[in-house]
Amino acid sequence: MGEARLESGVHRHETYTYDYDRTLLPGPDSGAGMWRYQRLLPRPDVSTRYPLPVGGTPLRPVRELRQRLGLPGLWLKDETVGPSASNKDRATALVIDQGLRVGVGVVSTASTGNAALSTAIGGAAAGMAVVIFVPADCAPAKVELMTAMGAYVFRVREGYRAAFELSRRAAAQFHWLDRCTGLNPLTIEAKKTASFEVWEQLGDRTPDVVVLPVGDGVTLIGAAKGFRELVACGALERVPRVVAVQARDCAPLAAQWHGVQAPARWRGTVADGIEVPEPMLGDWAIDEVRHSGGDFVTVSDAEILDAVELLADAAQVATEPAGAAAVAGLRRACAAGLVAPDETVVAWVTGANLPVAPVEVDRPGVVFTISAGLDAVAAALAGTSVRVT
């Protein structure tokens, strides 16, 4: 395997580095899916015990969408085909793979929806207990799916940031496997594999531009790290420009980038998957955009919903609003001159609504509504199979 080293990065978050060279790149016998990039992942060079397929998502040429947008070099990285119909499945798989190897029986996370749903599905398939912390206003349909997968779901009245911090404290206190996006460095390692796939799917080439939605920033950071590592391995000469897309009514990083005063409270957006008023990895995400020579754009909810319809009509790709945000942002980036018509562009389609639970469980989960506090968590889980000591 690649000799992975966990180091403290310039952004005060731990990150993995490797002894980069071409020997770390996959070969014809490297297998399929995310595990194809074994030598650039921090895990033993053994078969994974994670039971669901993950990675290997298609790069779609979408002829009609190219014509409508006037971008003949446009591709869609379609992450909607995984177990939870979301790019969050990559991070879930790598984190749970680690937990299965060390014998941890409980996995937990905090999320506005998609990472939580992915964790519920992955944990159920792996035979782990799953504890999830969401803001109290998390979409009811997503909470229902989480409980259908057997998860214990805590709706935290104080909102997403409180849910995130409570999840971290609970995992540390009760010795659970912590899947929290970004602060577990495995989540970034997993998400970078989408960039490795784009490189191979384009015939070992780099796109000129990649367009990604941004909430906490982990998807963007992972994608950028993947391209940087391909350069470090000698597979590419340069990284693509990164165009980061935020919803206009929850755009703290775009405001910081453009030097605009952010409101005291963001109004919120229909794209709940990127509705993160206080991004955990914001400075890091901004630095990745700057390093690539890219930019930030913002889009309205109306533009996002229009992109959902456009993807369904012109690309036959069903998405949720956050999943279509990159295409909405791409249209605005073209109008602003940030993307030229003759460039090769890859837009990340990060997720879709999941209509039914994809695996069966023995028992349904439970939903608790609490104020943030470890005592409330312990009391709710007393008498269950979940360890709280």
Side-chain angles (χ1 to χ4, degrees):
M1 71 169 188
E3 291 298 325
R5 297 181 297 275
L6 188 58
E7 301 176 350
S8 179
V10 297
H11 304 93
R12 302 183 305 280
H13 296 289
E14 291 183 323
T15 185
Y16 285 97
T17 62
Y18 305 79
D19 295 320
Y20 298 107
D21 63 43
R22 286 186 174 272
T23 64
L24 301 187
L25 301 176
D29 299 324
S30 296
M34 187 177 81
W35 313 112
R36 175 173 176 75
Y37 308 103
Q38 168 71 43
R39 291 189 293 271
L40 281 164
L41 291 174
R43 60 181 307 281
D45 191 4
V46 296
S47 298
T48 177
R49 295 175 58 191
Y50 188 71
L52 300 176
V54 62
T57 59
L59 188 69
R60 302 193 186 280
V62 291
R63 179 180 177 182
E64 185 175 347
L65 185 61
R66 288 173 167 178
Q67 292 175 341
R68 292 200 195 183
L69 298 182
L71 292 171
L74 173 62
W75 300 80
L76 299 180
K77 184 56 174 167
D78 184 0
E79 293 280 84
T80 69
V81 299
S84 75
S86 164
N87 71 328
K88 311 296 186 181
D89 290 329
R90 296 177 187 266
T92 294
L94 190 57
V95 172
I96 289 181
D97 169 73
Q98 180 193 57
L100 290 171
R101 283 187 284 105
V102 300
V104 178
V106 182
V107 59
S108 63
T109 195
S111 169
T112 55
N114 283 352
L117 182 57
S118 175
T119 304
I121 291 168
M128 285 185 172
V130 179
V131 181
I132 292 170
F133 299 84
V134 299
D137 60 357
C138 182
K142 290 185 177 179
V143 173
E144 184 177 343
L145 274 173
M146 295 170 209
T147 56
M149 300 309 302
Y152 298 94
V153 182
F154 286 89
R155 298 170 67 247
V156 180
R157 295 186 180 96
E158 292 86 350
Y160 173 68
R161 186 60 180 258
F164 188 98
E165 292 174 352
L166 181 58
S167 178
R168 296 280 294 173
R169 290 166 53 209
Q173 177 71 25
F174 304 133
H175 309 289
W176 300 338
L177 182 65
D178 188 351
R179 186 237 178 269
C180 270
T181 295
L183 296 189
N184 183 331
L186 291 177
T187 61
I188 291 173
E189 295 303 290
K191 288 192 175 184
K192 77 185 183 185
T193 60
S195 293
F196 298 161
E197 291 174 10
V198 166
W199 161 65
E200 289 199 277
Q201 289 164 331
L202 287 177
D204 297 354
R205 294 185 299 114
T206 184
D208 297 300
V209 186
V210 294
V211 187
L212 301 109
V214 184
D216 259 325
V218 178
T219 293
L220 184 151
I221 292 166
K225 188 173 190 284
F227 286 116
R228 285 195 284 105
E229 290 189 340
L230 288 170
V231 172
C233 287
L236 295 177
E237 293 184 357
R238 58 176 176 81
V239 298
R241 299 195 313 278
V242 176
V243 174
V245 182
Q246 292 209 287
R248 185 169 302 155
D249 288 330
C250 189
L253 299 184
Q256 184 177 341
W257 175 270
H258 292 294
V260 175
Q261 180 66 41
R265 182 180 179 86
W266 292 99
R267 293 175 56 187
T269 172
V270 67
D272 61 331
I274 55 173
E275 187 177 349
V276 184
E278 299 177 74
M280 302 295 171
L281 303 180
D283 289 343
W284 190 352
I286 285 174
D287 279 354
E288 293 289 3
V289 175
R290 182 177 294 112
H291 172 76
S292 76
D295 211 329
F296 274 81
V297 298
T298 63
V299 290
S300 67
D301 277 5
E303 290 174 294
I304 291 172
L305 294 174
D306 187 58
V308 171
E309 295 184 7
L310 178 65
L311 282 166
D313 185 44
Q316 290 73 57
V317 175
T319 71
E320 63 175 1
V327 171
L330 174 59
R331 298 172 88 174
R332 183 158 288 278
C334 289
L338 300 176
V339 176
D342 61 347
E343 290 189 301
T344 299
V345 184
V346 177
W348 257 240
V349 180
T350 54
N353 291 318
L354 191 68
V356 295
V359 299
E360 295 183 1
V361 297
D362 294 333
R363 56 154 185 82
V366 183
V367 181
F368 308 97
T369 300
I370 64 169
S371 295
L374 288 177
D375 289 345
V377 175
L381 294 175
T384 73
S385 61
V386 178
R387 175 181 173 178
V388 288
T389 57

